[in-house]
Amino acid sequence: MRAQEASHRFRSVIFLLLLAAAVAAGIGAAGPAAPSARPAPGGGAVASAAPAATETGLLVLREGGNAADAAVAVALALAVVHPQAGNLGGGGFAVAKFGDEIAALNFRETAPAAATPGMFLGPDGAPVPEKSLVGPLAAGVPGSPAGLFELHRRFGRLPWKKVVAPAVGLARDGFTVTERLSRAIAEDRMLLARFPETAAVWLPGGKPPATASRMRLPRLAEALEDYGRRGPVALTRGRAAKAIEAASRKHGGILTAPDLAAYAPAWRAPVRFRSFGWEIASMPLPSSGGIILGETFGMLERLGFARLGKDSTDRAHLLVEAWRRAFADRFLLGDPSTTGADAPQLLDPSWLDRRAREIDRARATRSIDVMPWPGGGPESAQTTHLSVVDARGDAVAMTVTLNDSFGCRLLVPELGILLNNEMDDFAAAPGKANLYGLVQGPANAVGPGKRMLSSMSPTLAWKGSEILAMGSPGGSRIPTATGQALLRILVDGDSLQGAVAHPRIHHQWMPDEVVGEAGALTGEVRAELAKRGHTFKDVAALGEVHAVRRRADGRLEAAADPRGPGAAGVQEPRK
């Protein structure tokens, strides 16, 4: 409720601002006609991490846009008002369903052409963590400029310029700094201050902008306006590309203008599986999220999860044991051009049967005793997710990221864009943990042009004419947060808001511990799990799920996670 109330408070002001921006932008040339480009009834549901971004999506739906138009507009608004994760200097993934067409868009960053396997190692051969986290050496080639444009080109309905216009207005005319943004800048102040270009924008006068102050980003507004006129080339070629290369080289990076020009997003067949009576589609490699969800749900269904007591010890035990095995198999995953395992092997019924048989219902398996799939060789909370469904039932689940909060912390001054630090998602030293404690294998080693492994899990689920879209930020905790919310709806029939808000647990093979929020496990359940051999670590929050649903009767619902100040809203279709 808190997120929805925040949305209502922002509604009138943001609507007028965005409407004026859209009108001022006029109508540009639309991309090629999409298969679903039939008249839209002007309604839908949106959930995202920021009230202003959610209002952007609702505005676009009101103006006749479809789910793709609204999703792109929300993502661009997040690039303005949620800079710690929203981005034009990063990348992401999207899963879309338009009619019977279901597709996954990979606009994950790639390693620059000059990347080498040992670039983040010290003289002793051990990883030097800061090299892959702070400064432009950590930056992959951004995928968002081309990716967002490509999603709109294939499925969008409104003119491109009109979809970009609200974000231009937010950057040019200003937006209100939220408490979350002010706090995030304050917490990251020392690293942001290392780069004068970044400090000049996000630490005005040496201090974080105050909560409720007005923030204007004129350079970013100019870059977005050009993007609205010319598409991706406005950010990946010419003056913009030279500016990104110059900023990178100045601070020791290897990102070049040719890297930017060579980047291309890729359409892929989504990971699809049927579970608990629903059809589910999520991201394929280089995102591990879809495979982890598919393996987890496959094991749970075989073990009778739906017949067990809700919030029981047995359910929690099976969840942890399924995740333990799915994340062990993740060790073998990487860019699909080099990995030794993929969905066909790991979601094969015989492999899921074997994994389910390994689980002892009475005892925890030590992670050290769980080996990955035998066919192969031996991410920060500052990601953000948005979900959109329109009145027709077309839907987009999209997750974008800079990896760590504010990425590598370097801002390109001519463009107002922060660069990512996604290179840390490679295995700098295979077999050793990354920023999120994930132990990864040789398939995810650094290599030029490769796409680093991810845990992002934008997911769609549908049964008949009912459809859900959801996902979460949270690094390695993304698939477990998304999966738990989805299970509560598909198996238990929880409300959308109830499923999103319910306390969560997490396990990722290594380290061997059950991570939990307050209230996720009762004292009795926790004690019984301890008797079965589980160990625990308490955390404040796991993920931030944003979800939307169109019910079979056409009713629309949206839910924003109360763990953050996000917002959810519904635009009723025109009668």
Side-chain angles (χ1 to χ4, degrees):
M1 288 301 295
R2 179 161 59 97
Q4 291 174 329
E5 289 168 2
S7 175
H8 291 311
R9 288 196 300 270
F10 275 85
R11 185 178 296 273
S12 59
V13 174
I14 297 299
F15 172 74
L16 291 174
L17 170 64
L18 299 180
L19 184 59
V23 171
I27 298 178
S36 62
R38 57 194 188 276
V46 181
S48 83
T54 293
E55 287 298 330
T56 296
L58 295 174
L59 169 68
V60 169
L61 291 169
R62 276 194 292 273
E63 293 187 341
N66 64 13
D69 297 317
V72 171
V74 172
L76 291 173
L78 288 168
V80 179
V81 304
H82 191 51
Q84 58 268 57
N87 70 76
L88 281 169
F93 301 102
V95 179
K97 184 177 185 296
F98 283 76
D100 294 330
E101 189 172 4
I102 306 156
L105 180 61
N106 172 0
F107 55 104
R108 180 66 156 161
E109 303 89 336
T110 58
T116 62
M119 64 188 289
F120 299 122
L121 304 180
D124 60 354
V128 181
E130 184 163 302
K131 294 177 84 172
S132 64
L133 291 172
V134 183
L137 189 65
V141 183
S144 288
L148 297 177
F149 184 84
E150 176 61 18
L151 178 64
H152 175 269
R153 183 203 66 79
R154 180 166 176 179
F155 291 117
R157 181 173 182 273
L158 295 179
W160 172 248
K161 189 175 181 181
K162 194 169 186 177
V163 171
V164 180
V168 175
L170 284 168
R172 181 189 61 224
D173 302 329
F175 60 93
T176 301
V177 175
T178 62
E179 188 276 335
R180 177 191 214 173
L181 176 55
S182 181
R183 183 179 69 248
I185 295 170
E187 291 172 350
D188 218 45
R189 178 176 176 175
M190 297 302 292
L191 292 178
L192 294 172
R194 288 194 190 184
F195 304 101
E197 303 92 334
T198 309
V201 173
W202 292 108
L203 291 168
K207 298 179 181 179
T211 300
S213 63
R214 195 78 174 162
M215 192 80 182
R216 292 179 175 83
L217 303 170
R219 292 290 180 86
L220 181 57
E222 292 172 5
L224 283 165
E225 193 164 29
D226 199 20
Y227 183 49
R229 286 193 301 266
R230 301 196 293 129
V233 296
L235 299 173
T236 61
R237 296 176 185 267
R239 181 185 67 86
K242 291 176 182 177
I244 292 172
E245 178 176 333
S248 176
R249 290 196 181 281
K250 178 181 176 182
H251 295 280
I254 57 174
L255 191 58
T256 67
D259 288 327
L260 295 161
Y263 182 87
W267 289 103
R268 296 285 184 255
V271 170
R272 291 188 59 178
F273 54 96
R274 183 174 177 81
S275 194
F276 301 107
W278 289 70
E279 298 291 335
I280 300 170
S282 192
M283 278 306 301
L285 291 176
S287 174
S288 63
I291 292 174
I292 290 172
L293 283 173
E295 281 200 77
T296 300
F297 279 43
M299 284 182 262
L300 294 180
E301 199 160 26
R302 283 163 170 77
L303 294 165
F305 181 85
R307 298 190 297 273
L308 301 174
K310 188 176 181 180
D311 298 321
S312 64
T313 302
D314 288 338
R315 271 199 178 182
H317 175 73
L318 291 186
L319 266 176
V320 169
E321 293 303 308
W323 289 334
R324 192 191 306 276
R325 287 156 178 81
F327 275 92
D329 289 340
R330 188 188 189 278
F331 180 84
L332 298 170
L333 304 180
D335 187 299
S337 66
T338 60
T339 183
D342 203 341
Q345 293 83 32
L346 298 180
L347 299 185
D348 185 272
S350 63
W351 179 243
L352 294 175
D353 289 343
R354 173 176 164 178
R355 277 302 200 201
R357 287 195 302 269
E358 293 173 4
I359 294 176
D360 184 337
R361 292 177 182 269
R363 293 292 303 170
T365 308
R366 297 188 310 164
S367 285
I368 197 170
D369 295 330
V370 177
M371 293 295 103
W373 177 76
E379 303 166 15
S380 126
Q382 293 311 325
T383 297
T384 190
H385 179 83
L386 63 99
S387 297
V388 181
V389 64
D390 61 31
R392 277 198 308 266
D394 296 331
V396 175
M398 182 192 299
T399 312
V400 297
T401 187
L402 291 170
N403 193 37
D404 204 4
S405 186
F406 301 99
C408 74
R409 281 78 172 187
L410 174 63
L411 181 138
V412 181
E414 295 87 348
L415 306 175
I417 293 171
L418 286 157
L419 296 179
N420 66 85
N421 62 352
E422 290 293 354
M423 295 294 284
D424 186 69
D425 271 359
F426 282 118
K432 298 187 178 181
N434 75 349
L435 175 63
Y436 302 108
L438 282 172
V439 178
Q440 306 179 90
N444 193 37
V446 180
K450 287 180 63 177
R451 301 190 189 215
M452 57 291 290
L453 190 62
S454 171
S455 296
M456 288 183 272
S457 310
T459 299
L460 303 178
W462 64 96
K463 182 168 64 173
S465 59
E466 182 170 4
I467 187 165
L468 295 158
M470 65 169 55
S472 176
S476 57
R477 300 165 178 184
I478 291 173
T480 59
T482 302
Q484 284 171 94
L486 194 56
L487 285 168
R488 299 196 77 85
I489 297 169
L490 273 53
V491 175
D492 297 322
D494 282 12
S495 70
L496 197 65
Q497 189 64 54
V500 162
H502 196 276
R504 297 190 272 262
I505 59 173
H506 170 77
H507 196 286
Q508 62 180 47
W509 183 47
M510 298 287 187
D512 191 351
E513 60 190 12
V514 179
V515 182
E517 298 176 335
L521 303 170
T522 66
E524 180 181 353
V525 168
R526 184 162 173 155
E528 179 57 33
L529 289 172
K531 289 179 183 177
R532 298 187 190 187
H534 297 284
T535 59
F536 304 92
K537 176 182 178 181
D538 298 322
V539 296
L542 290 169
E544 188 178 320
V545 177
H546 298 302
V548 294
R549 170 163 58 187
R550 181 188 183 274
R551 290 186 177 270
D553 60 7
R555 283 181 295 152
L556 297 160
E557 300 175 8
D561 199 317
R563 292 163 183 80
V570 170
Q571 173 62 43
E572 296 297 342
R574 295 188 296 270
K575 300 297 184 183

